Amino acid sequence: MKYRVAQVTFLLFTLVAPVMSAQDTDVLLSDTQPRNVILIIGDGMDDHQLTIARNYLKGPQGTLLLDTLPVRGVSQILTVQDDDAETPVFVADSANTATSMATGVVTSRGRIATAAGTDKPLPSIIDELELAGFRTGLVTTSSVTDATPSAFVAKINFRLCENPSLMEEVTFYGLNLGSCKQHMKSSGGRGSIAEQLAASSVDVILGGGTEHFDMPAEEGGLSVKDQAQANGFQWLTTAEQLAAAGNDKRLLGLFSSGTMPVRLRGENGREAEEPSPSLLNRISDYLGDVELPEPMVCEPNPEYASVPSLKRMTDAALSHLAAGNSRGFFLMIESASIDKQSHERKPCGSIGEVEQLDEALQSALDFAKQQPRTLIIVTADHSQAAQLVSFDSMFKDYTIPAYTPGKVARIRTPQGHELAVNYATSNFFMEEHTGAQVPLYANSEGVKLIPNYLHQPQIYHITRQYLGLPTK
Amino acid sequence: MKYRVAQVTFLLFTLVAPVMSAQDTDVLLSDTQPRNVILIIGDGMDDHQLTIARNYLKGPQGTLLLDTLPVRGVSQILTVQDDDAETPVFVADSANTATSMATGVVTSRGRIATAAGTDKPLPSIIDELELAGFRTGLVTTSSVTDATPSAFVAKINFRLCENPSLMEEVTFYGLNLGSCKQHMKSSGGRGSIAEQLAASSVDVILGGGTEHFDMPAEEGGLSVKDQAQANGFQWLTTAEQLAAAGNDKRLLGLFSSGTMPVRLRGENGREAEEPSPSLLNRISDYLGDVELPEPMVCEPNPEYASVPSLKRMTDAALSHLAAGNSRGFFLMIESASIDKQSHERKPCGSIGEVEQLDEALQSALDFAKQQPRTLIIVTADHSQAAQLVSFDSMFKDYTIPAYTPGKVARIRTPQGHELAVNYATSNFFMEEHTGAQVPLYANSEGVKLIPNYLHQPQIYHITRQYLGLPTK
């Protein structure tokens, strides 16, 4: 599998080489400057999510900061069956996709930096960069134990084993969803995701997830939080503590129990709703009429006020990672709830989280002005269910009521226009992921490095290459 | 509206300028060579359609020819209300989007090169290039009177007025969908779309649509076909006639009654189907189980064998347009049924039409090797309903049957893998368009010209700029 990825990548580099060969800004920079990579992941941030957010936040003629980046390509998502790593699966989850970007290896859904089938732990970019003297950081709006950040540090067979209490059995209303027994410390393993983060050498970990640390570690006695502090982490839980934190100790800042509250929500917490066909239309699709959900505005989520923004966490992480650092760093920044709010059919939530990502990008670009050898990559891990659809059906003149079989939200934008979002991948209480190739952006440092089309694991190899690690 | 587009474009060009400034291959080429633009439009060819087609045709590790192009950006679709051209609409149709690309003007859905509200005819790139001495061509797998090709030549208020019989009233099962009375010749207008094509100076028109020409023209007496022949067109209806056609006369080749037959279809003509939940599940979403449609293969569509491929039509058009031409040409090539088959929930059909587009691109690239001053742009006009979804629900372990509220097709790929496509924007017999930004590609000639993010009307301005027409 890896061999084939490398082949395709070589082909792509060969094909784009003529475009890139005329450019060389490196001569302007000293080789003694630190080199940094900032990888910004919009979880579920596909072309629909970007267009919905742009239309809402900037208007259809407006421009996200993302749109101005000099590199814009696409990333093809690869996943395989767990029992047969040669058989592709065409729709991914955040665990296997983060594993692709963190380790360069294609694995199966639900796995955190472990190989499909064999359960073999996979070395991550953070493991390798720490050995090479780089600093490292993880910033997310999810719990830091969630799939995307954890794949850069932890190695475990199942993403839901986030804390010691979930290792023997992960249950959902009495239903056994999985287990990580073989990774328990008592079995000679590394323990739960929270324990692995607490034991890590990462310099900055910021996000949500106190619930996974404020509990006894597997051995009993110390809590996972105690273990983290014993391992040298400063423990922060408020925006004020984050602002005041010194650079002398590594940071573990967790600002909410689980996923951090999102910035925007639907009016009075509304989400997408089912259209209400008339009785006659329930009898025949060709009769009667339909009532669509009432339009709504997006409003600030009151819970958001108490937590630091993604931009503030990004600024804190950049400041901490850069202070007195002559080697460089790797920082992963995730806007997690573009995906989570789409699962829950909450378009306002997703829009606010794209805005947070665009603001974090501003911080990254500002930083790169100070340290020009900073490669910024922005991408998504997989695509999502939400579709930008028409407020008026294309078929409204046919007198037959045409409406989605799923759920729809009609949003009034700040400019006073109406924008509709359809969610119709599942009758379940959560929407499904989808399998489209996802956006890939980079700043000017990416112009020589990043082809227009790549396979997601190549992001790992590009990071290694940029930071001067030997080619694998 | 146009002013704002220009502002944003200036901004984008400014922002990407540092990336482009180091490259200049123009010095290698003589200014006396002809300059050509080949605009390839995949109707409805969004990131889902591309990923579905790639996974099917090449496997998930494979590469479409499209993926190897050196420019890959996105195009933001703009549409407005017909009664208020300042109010954006977030989902487009092929008429207004083709108008954007053909004229640089944002109009309302259903309009062919006429202004929203005022009905004013809009000069198209083909009108302007003909005056400047360029040759022009249109190739499509739809009827040549369909929205995308017609916007480059015709000017009319409603896309369905494709022939003289549809001018007074377009009806659907007795329902009046619209009219183009004010554009009838008897009202001093240009007549139906077919009549406008017949009266045009376009050098090559290839596609489907004999049904719109084999009928009396508005004035009676001559048929629309007769008018076209009287205007100097060679009338071709078979692949053999196309292969034998000389370059001395302009070409009007129509190889099917309406839309040309597509290359692939579902097994025995199957399309996406509704899941069948058990009785218990119909009573409660949390009970019972569901039967999904049986997997199917894609098979050759028998009707396709009788028509020339998009590649053959492209080769014929390029040969005709280039013969003895020292000035250059503009050729629009459309793969129309990516969209049409998605409306009808037929994923195999859409896959075959992406394949046809990729083959036509090969012809264009081969041609550009012979005439290096050939800009090739590949894009879509709008996004579509189809979503690449998981064969297995992400939630299969929850014991609750999770399935789409819409319709799904499970396709067995030639490599033996299973790929599922969801259609769930409408309960109507046709799916809706969606509103996501769409892919935009170009060959090496586009590297200096095309920003990573643009508004769709900018494609018109880029074409003008490349061919040396004065800036508007």
Side-chain angles (χ1 to χ4, degrees):
Chain A
M1 183 67 69
K2 283 165 65 185
Y3 177 66
R4 273 181 285 158
V5 172
Q7 269 188 321
V8 171
T9 307
F10 176 75
L11 176 69
L12 287 165
F13 272 94
T14 309
L15 288 161
V16 298
V19 180
M20 305 192 293
S21 59
Q23 298 172 11
D24 195 2
T25 54
D26 279 12
V27 289
L28 303 171
L29 301 168
S30 151
D31 261 315
T32 60
Q33 288 189 338
R35 278 185 172 259
N36 314 305
V37 170
I38 303 174
L39 172 60
I40 304 178
I41 300 173
D43 203 306
M45 187 180 70
D46 59 21
D47 285 87
H48 277 276
Q49 295 286 358
L50 285 171
T51 315
I52 292 165
R54 183 191 304 112
N55 286 340
Y56 179 90
L57 297 167
K58 312 285 182 182
Q61 305 258 3
T63 309
L64 295 168
L65 184 58
L66 264 176
D67 298 323
T68 67
L69 289 174
V71 176
R72 207 303 185 178
V74 287
S75 168
Q76 162 85 334
I77 309 308
L78 302 175
T79 324
V80 292
Q81 285 189 13
D82 197 54
D83 56 1
D84 175 7
E86 291 301 308
T87 296
V89 172
F90 295 112
V91 178
D93 86 331
S94 296
N96 78 268
T97 56
T99 299
S100 282
M101 292 186 272
T103 73
V105 178
V106 177
T107 192
S108 58
R109 297 200 300 218
R111 283 197 170 275
I112 302 294
T114 49
T118 68
D119 202 29
K120 190 185 131 198
L122 303 166
S124 81
I125 187 75
I126 281 191
D127 302 334
E128 294 165 334
L129 288 173
E130 284 174 353
L131 289 175
F134 288 86
R135 290 192 195 160
T136 61
L138 298 172
V139 172
T140 180
T141 55
S142 69
S143 168
V144 298
T145 55
D146 203 18
T148 307
S150 67
F152 287 83
V153 176
K155 290 109 178 50
I156 201 160
N157 60 301
F158 186 37
R159 59 182 287 178
L160 295 185
C161 298
E162 291 178 74
N163 67 51
S165 76
L166 296 166
M167 293 295 282
E168 291 204 48
E169 189 176 80
V170 179
T171 57
F172 176 82
Y173 287 101
L175 192 69
N176 181 2
L177 295 181
S179 135
C180 300
K181 276 187 191 166
Q182 72 272 35
H183 290 278
M184 290 178 74
K185 292 185 175 180
S186 56
S187 306
R190 299 163 198 251
S192 66
I193 293 170
E195 291 165 292
Q196 293 191 48
L197 291 172
S200 77
S201 308
V202 179
D203 294 279
V204 182
I205 302 177
L206 302 175
T210 52
E211 66 182 323
H212 301 294
F213 290 79
D214 280 335
M215 66 161 56
E218 187 187 325
E219 305 89 336
L222 289 182
S223 69
V224 184
K225 169 189 160 184
D226 295 336
Q227 289 185 334
Q229 288 180 307
N231 182 32
F233 279 109
Q234 295 180 65
W235 175 261
L236 317 168
T237 57
T238 67
E240 294 69 29
Q241 289 173 349
L242 179 64
N247 288 329
D248 51 326
K249 287 177 76 181
R250 297 184 295 125
L251 303 184
L252 178 58
L254 305 182
F255 307 100
S256 59
S257 171
T259 303
M260 292 177 74
V262 295
R263 177 177 287 182
L264 294 178
R265 66 175 199 180
E267 202 172 337
N268 301 316
R270 281 177 62 199
E271 53 196 66
E273 295 142 353
E274 283 183 29
S276 300
S278 65
L279 183 62
L280 212 53
N281 186 260
R282 286 173 203 265
I283 294 165
S284 165
D285 279 349
Y286 294 94
L287 298 172
D289 48 34
V290 66
E291 200 174 316
L292 295 176
E294 282 299 304
M296 61 172 160
V297 297
C298 297
E299 62 185 24
N301 175 15
E303 294 173 33
Y304 175 77
S306 65
V307 297
S309 66
L310 186 61
K311 180 178 172 59
R312 283 193 63 182
M313 293 195 290
T314 298
D315 288 335
L318 288 170
S319 164
H320 195 276
L321 291 170
N325 179 352
S326 60
R327 184 74 171 104
F329 63 79
F330 172 82
L331 173 62
M332 192 290 297
I333 300 165
E334 184 199 20
S335 180
S337 289
I338 303 167
D339 169 81
K340 291 180 194 300
Q341 296 282 293
S342 178
H343 276 303
E344 297 181 25
R345 307 176 179 116
K346 293 176 175 170
C348 295
S350 293
I351 289 167
E353 299 314 282
V354 174
E355 187 177 40
Q356 289 226 61
L357 181 140
D358 219 37
E359 293 170 0
L361 171 61
Q362 183 66 65
S363 291
L365 289 168
D366 290 345
F367 179 85
K369 278 190 201 147
Q370 307 304 315
Q371 293 207 6
R373 282 191 188 275
T374 300
L375 170 64
I376 303 168
I377 299 173
V378 189
T379 191
D381 51 354
H382 55 74
S383 60
Q384 249 287 355
Q387 292 176 302
L388 176 54
V389 292
S390 193
F391 170 68
D392 268 341
S393 166
M394 291 178 69
F395 309 112
K396 65 177 174 171
D397 294 335
Y398 287 72
T399 70
I400 302 164
Y403 56 91
T404 176
K407 297 181 175 69
V408 66
R410 293 163 66 198
I411 300 173
R412 187 161 282 277
T413 71
Q415 296 83 13
H417 308 133
E418 291 208 6
L419 184 154
V421 184
N422 185 46
Y423 296 86
T425 59
S426 184
N427 69 327
F428 197 62
F429 66 81
M430 300 261 278
E431 293 291 324
E432 303 267 355
H433 294 171
T434 58
Q437 57 192 10
V438 293
L440 174 72
Y441 300 88
N443 69 341
S444 55
E445 290 292 286
V447 172
K448 295 172 94 177
L449 274 175
I450 297 182
N452 293 330
Y453 173 72
L454 54 65
H455 293 163
Q456 197 168 44
Q458 201 52 32
I459 292 170
Y460 161 83
H461 295 286
I462 289 169
T463 302
R464 286 178 56 97
Q465 184 182 349
Y466 184 79
L467 295 178
L469 297 193
T471 307
K472 261 188 162 175
Chain B
M1 183 66 68
K2 281 165 63 186
Y3 176 65
R4 273 181 285 159
V5 172
Q7 269 188 320
V8 170
T9 307
F10 176 74
L11 176 68
L12 286 166
F13 272 95
T14 310
L15 287 161
V16 298
V19 181
M20 304 190 296
S21 60
Q23 297 172 10
D24 195 10
T25 53
D26 280 12
V27 289
L28 302 172
L29 301 169
S30 152
D31 261 314
T32 60
Q33 288 190 335
R35 279 187 171 257
N36 314 304
V37 170
I38 302 173
L39 172 61
I40 304 178
I41 300 173
D43 203 306
M45 187 182 68
D46 59 22
D47 286 85
H48 277 277
Q49 295 286 358
L50 285 171
T51 316
I52 292 165
R54 184 192 303 113
N55 286 340
Y56 179 89
L57 296 166
K58 311 286 181 180
Q61 306 256 5
T63 309
L64 295 168
L65 185 58
L66 264 176
D67 298 323
T68 67
L69 289 174
V71 176
R72 206 303 185 178
V74 287
S75 169
Q76 161 85 335
I77 310 308
L78 301 174
T79 324
V80 292
Q81 284 189 12
D82 197 55
D83 56 0
D84 175 8
E86 291 301 308
T87 296
V89 172
F90 295 111
V91 179
D93 85 330
S94 296
N96 78 268
T97 55
T99 299
S100 282
M101 292 185 272
T103 73
V105 178
V106 177
T107 192
S108 57
R109 296 200 300 219
R111 284 197 169 274
I112 301 295
T114 50
T118 68
D119 202 28
K120 190 183 129 197
L122 303 167
S124 81
I125 187 75
I126 280 191
D127 302 335
E128 294 165 335
L129 289 173
E130 283 175 352
L131 289 175
F134 288 86
R135 291 193 194 159
T136 62
L138 299 173
V139 171
T140 180
T141 55
S142 67
S143 169
V144 298
T145 54
D146 203 19
T148 306
S150 67
F152 288 83
V153 176
K155 290 107 178 46
I156 201 160
N157 59 303
F158 186 38
R159 60 183 286 179
L160 295 185
C161 298
E162 291 178 74
N163 68 51
S165 77
L166 296 166
M167 294 295 281
E168 292 204 45
E169 190 175 80
V170 179
T171 58
F172 175 83
Y173 288 101
L175 192 70
N176 181 3
L177 296 181
S179 132
C180 301
K181 275 187 191 165
Q182 72 272 35
H183 291 278
M184 289 177 74
K185 292 186 175 178
S186 55
S187 306
R190 298 164 199 250
S192 66
I193 293 171
E195 291 165 294
Q196 293 191 49
L197 292 172
S200 77
S201 308
V202 179
D203 295 280
V204 182
I205 302 177
L206 303 176
T210 52
E211 64 182 325
H212 302 294
F213 290 79
D214 278 335
M215 65 161 58
E218 187 187 324
E219 305 89 335
L222 288 182
S223 68
V224 184
K225 168 188 161 185
D226 294 336
Q227 288 185 336
Q229 289 179 307
N231 182 31
F233 280 108
Q234 296 180 65
W235 176 261
L236 316 168
T237 57
T238 66
E240 294 68 31
Q241 289 173 348
L242 179 64
N247 289 328
D248 51 325
K249 287 178 77 181
R250 296 184 296 126
L251 304 184
L252 178 58
L254 305 182
F255 307 100
S256 59
S257 172
T259 303
M260 292 176 74
V262 296
R263 177 177 287 181
L264 294 179
R265 65 174 200 180
E267 203 172 335
N268 301 315
R270 281 177 62 199
E271 53 196 65
E273 294 142 353
E274 283 183 29
S276 299
S278 65
L279 184 62
L280 212 54
N281 187 260
R282 285 172 204 264
I283 294 165
S284 164
D285 279 349
Y286 294 94
L287 299 172
D289 47 34
V290 66
E291 201 174 315
L292 295 176
E294 281 299 304
M296 61 174 160
V297 297
C298 297
E299 63 184 22
N301 175 14
E303 294 173 33
Y304 175 77
S306 65
V307 298
S309 67
L310 185 60
K311 180 177 171 61
R312 283 191 65 180
M313 293 195 290
T314 298
D315 288 335
L318 288 170
S319 164
H320 196 276
L321 291 171
N325 179 354
S326 60
R327 183 77 171 102
F329 63 79
F330 171 82
L331 173 61
M332 192 290 296
I333 300 164
E334 184 198 21
S335 180
S337 290
I338 303 167
D339 170 80
K340 291 180 195 300
Q341 296 283 294
S342 178
H343 277 303
E344 297 181 26
R345 307 176 179 119
K346 294 176 175 170
C348 294
S350 293
I351 289 168
E353 299 314 282
V354 173
E355 187 177 40
Q356 288 226 59
L357 181 141
D358 219 38
E359 292 170 0
L361 171 61
Q362 183 66 66
S363 291
L365 289 168
D366 290 345
F367 179 84
K369 278 191 202 147
Q370 307 305 315
Q371 294 207 5
R373 282 192 189 274
T374 299
L375 170 64
I376 302 168
I377 299 173
V378 189
T379 190
D381 52 354
H382 56 75
S383 60
Q384 248 287 356
Q387 292 176 302
L388 176 53
V389 292
S390 193
F391 171 68
D392 268 342
S393 166
M394 291 178 69
F395 310 113
K396 64 177 174 172
D397 294 335
Y398 287 71
T399 70
I400 303 164
Y403 56 90
T404 176
K407 297 179 176 69
V408 66
R410 294 162 67 197
I411 300 172
R412 186 161 283 277
T413 72
Q415 295 83 15
H417 308 132
E418 291 208 4
L419 185 155
V421 184
N422 184 46
Y423 296 86
T425 60
S426 183
N427 68 328
F428 196 62
F429 66 80
M430 300 261 278
E431 293 291 324
E432 303 267 354
H433 294 170
T434 58
Q437 59 194 7
V438 294
L440 174 72
Y441 301 87
N443 69 340
S444 55
E445 290 292 286
V447 173
K448 297 172 93 177
L449 273 177
I450 297 182
N452 293 330
Y453 173 72
L454 53 65
H455 293 163
Q456 198 168 43
Q458 200 53 31
I459 291 169
Y460 162 83
H461 294 286
I462 288 168
T463 302
R464 285 178 56 96
Q465 183 183 347
Y466 185 79
L467 294 178
L469 296 193
T471 307
K472 262 188 161 174

